[in-house]
Amino acid sequence: MSSHKIVIGTRGSPLAVAQSAWFGKELQNQNPSLQIQFKKITTSGDKIKDRFLNEVGGKGLFVKEIEEALLAKEIDMAVHSLKDVPAEIPDRLELACFPKREDFEDVLVTSTGVSLEHLPAGALIGTVSLRRKIQIEQLHPKVSFQMLRGNIDTRLTRLQAGEFNAIVLAKAGMKRLGLDLSHAVPIPIVPAPGQGTLGIEIRKGEDLLQNLLRPLHDLSTAVVSQAEREVMKQLGGGCNLPLGVFGQIQGDQLFLEAFIASLDGKKIIKEKVIGSSRQPIDTASLLLEVLWKQGAKGLIAS
């Protein structure tokens, strides 16, 4: 890294490239003399398209090779979808910047814009997420599901081809790609921890990068991200568990909720607490205490 050139690492998917390009532009707006280059890195998660993530190692598959490039100094920073970043990251790396959070919602996308409750019995929904599947089943027990992986364009193409009645996507990703949202209806389920948030990862001790990133760091987003990721961490969080965690700040209060389920969806725990926005870890601990009382440890062990 030179003082005037930054190499940003990103996955090669259209969404990852769009997110990185957006962040690079924001960074350059703050520092007009900065030269920014992008390096696309193919991750294990991009290569494995025919199995659920919990079967092949969890969400870390989308960041492992990028973190290796960071540690090898092939790139200076990485732009991640925070929901893809495991609770534990390598000791020599840190999440140094959280830009302002985009929409956090999951949306049901159909060819006509129908809402979940108006889907007919037996409608086929495409998703790779057990978190989404189990919560949607609670709202509409008569729909069916089939695994659907691939980037957003691939999923939309298969929907348009009639392979599915509906698919589930993150609204943030659709917005970042500039896609039409007229047929995307929000689903009232607990999102993945970090959904809609970008996490900028760098090597520890990079003071120059810290200074460059500081103006783009959003404190409220950092607070809720810290709380959500602490809950995820204590629950053993990766993709091996159907887990949703969502934090929201109102005034000086932090509202924090979690959804956790067994892999078969038969045991579900959903709880919410209110704590101080100045103490996100304490609020996370408060929620965890409630989850433990409801039997979360036994659920995880099973």
Side-chain angles (χ1 to χ4, degrees), residues 23-81:
F23 185 77
K25 185 177 179 181
E26 293 293 306
L27 195 58
Q28 196 151 47
N29 287 342
Q30 295 284 337
N31 309 274
S33 65
L34 201 60
Q35 295 177 28
I36 295 178
Q37 293 182 357
F38 298 93
K39 182 180 176 67
K40 295 180 185 178
I41 298 170
T42 301
T43 69
S44 301
D46 297 311
K47 296 173 186 173
I48 303 168
K49 299 183 182 296
D50 60 347
R51 298 168 71 186
F52 285 102
L53 291 180
N54 65 295
E55 297 174 352
V56 290
K59 63 174 68 184
L61 292 174
F62 287 116
V63 302
K64 179 176 177 286
E65 287 81 359
I66 298 175
E67 290 182 330
E68 288 171 351
L70 257 180
L71 291 168
K73 298 190 176 181
E74 296 169 8
I75 59 176
D76 299 308
M77 65 176 66
V79 177
H80 300 298
S81 292

Side-chain angles (χ1 to χ4, degrees), residues 124-166:
L124 183 62
I125 298 176
T127 181
V128 74
S129 165
L130 285 173
R131 172 189 63 82
R132 288 169 170 165
K133 175 181 179 291
I134 291 168
Q135 290 187 90
I136 289 171
E137 283 177 330
Q138 293 291 301
L139 299 170
H140 194 332
K142 296 185 178 179
V143 295
S144 56
F145 294 87
Q146 184 175 311
M147 183 173 69
L148 175 61
R149 290 202 59 193
N151 61 44
I152 290 178
D153 288 341
T154 299
R155 299 183 197 197
L156 288 170
T157 298
R158 293 183 66 182
L159 171 68
Q160 290 157 4
E163 294 184 43
F164 300 90
N165 299 105

Side-chain angles (χ1 to χ4, degrees), residues 3-292:
S3 58
H4 298 291
K5 177 183 170 185
I6 299 292
V7 181
I8 297 177
T10 176
R11 290 171 61 201
S13 72
L15 176 57
V17 169
Q19 289 176 166
S20 297
W22 171 84
F23 185 77
K25 185 177 179 181
E26 293 293 306
L27 195 58
Q28 196 151 47
N29 287 342
Q30 295 284 337
N31 309 274
S33 65
L34 201 60
Q35 295 177 28
I36 295 178
Q37 293 182 357
F38 298 93
K39 182 180 176 67
K40 295 180 185 178
I41 298 170
T42 301
T43 69
S44 301
D46 297 311
K47 296 173 186 173
I48 303 168
K49 299 183 182 296
D50 60 347
R51 298 168 71 186
F52 285 102
L53 291 180
N54 65 295
E55 297 174 352
V56 290
K59 63 174 68 184
L61 292 174
F62 287 116
V63 302
K64 179 176 177 286
E65 287 81 359
I66 298 175
E67 290 182 330
E68 288 171 351
L70 257 180
L71 291 168
K73 298 190 176 181
E74 296 169 8
I75 59 176
D76 299 308
M77 65 176 66
V79 177
H80 300 298
S81 292
L82 188 60
K83 69 184 180 70
D84 292 336
V85 181
E88 301 279 4
I89 64 175
D91 289 340
R92 290 162 53 202
L93 302 179
E94 63 177 328
L95 291 166
C97 176
F98 299 101
K100 187 174 176 60
R101 189 178 207 164
E102 184 54 271
D103 274 282
F104 60 86
E105 294 170 308
D106 292 288
V107 290
L108 186 81
V109 184
T110 63
S111 58
T112 58
V114 67
S115 60
L116 178 65
E117 62 266 28
H118 291 115
L119 279 181
L124 183 62
I125 298 176
T127 181
V128 74
S129 165
L130 285 173
R131 172 189 63 82
R132 288 169 170 165
K133 175 181 179 291
I134 291 168
Q135 290 187 90
I136 289 171
E137 283 177 330
Q138 293 291 301
L139 299 170
H140 194 332
K142 296 185 178 179
V143 295
S144 56
F145 294 87
Q146 184 175 311
M147 183 173 69
L148 175 61
R149 290 202 59 193
N151 61 44
I152 290 178
D153 288 341
T154 299
R155 299 183 197 197
L156 288 170
T157 298
R158 293 183 66 182
L159 171 68
Q160 290 157 4
E163 294 184 43
F164 300 90
N165 299 105
I167 62 176
V168 186
L169 297 173
K171 188 176 182 180
M174 296 187 70
K175 289 183 74 172
R176 288 186 176 123
L177 285 170
L179 298 176
D180 179 16
L181 292 167
S182 61
H183 290 170
V185 181
I187 313 170
I189 60 177
V190 183
Q195 186 157 304
T197 299
L198 298 182
I200 314 305
E201 191 174 26
I202 65 173
R203 293 179 294 276
K204 287 180 179 176
E206 297 277 5
D207 294 339
L208 174 61
L209 289 181
Q210 290 275 12
N211 291 334
L212 288 173
L213 292 172
R214 195 166 288 119
L216 299 176
H217 183 66
D218 182 72
L219 184 57
S220 293
T221 300
V223 166
V224 296
S225 298
Q226 190 178 9
E228 290 172 6
R229 288 177 59 77
E230 178 66 15
V231 174
M232 178 176 77
K233 177 182 176 181
Q234 297 303 327
L235 291 174
C239 269
N240 299 333
L241 201 64
L243 173 67
V245 189
F246 178 64
Q248 201 165 27
I249 293 174
Q250 295 181 19
D252 60 356
Q253 291 184 316
L254 173 58
F255 292 75
L256 191 62
E257 64 178 322
F259 159 90
I260 182 173
S262 57
L263 293 177
D264 60 9
K266 292 180 179 178
K267 171 68 174 175
I268 292 171
I269 302 171
K270 187 176 177 182
E271 295 291 344
K272 179 187 289 187
V273 299
I274 303 172
S276 169
S277 61
R278 297 185 183 88
Q279 304 290 339
I281 298 299
D282 288 350
T283 305
S285 297
L286 184 64
L287 178 56
L288 286 160
E289 190 176 324
V290 175
L291 293 172
W292 300 146

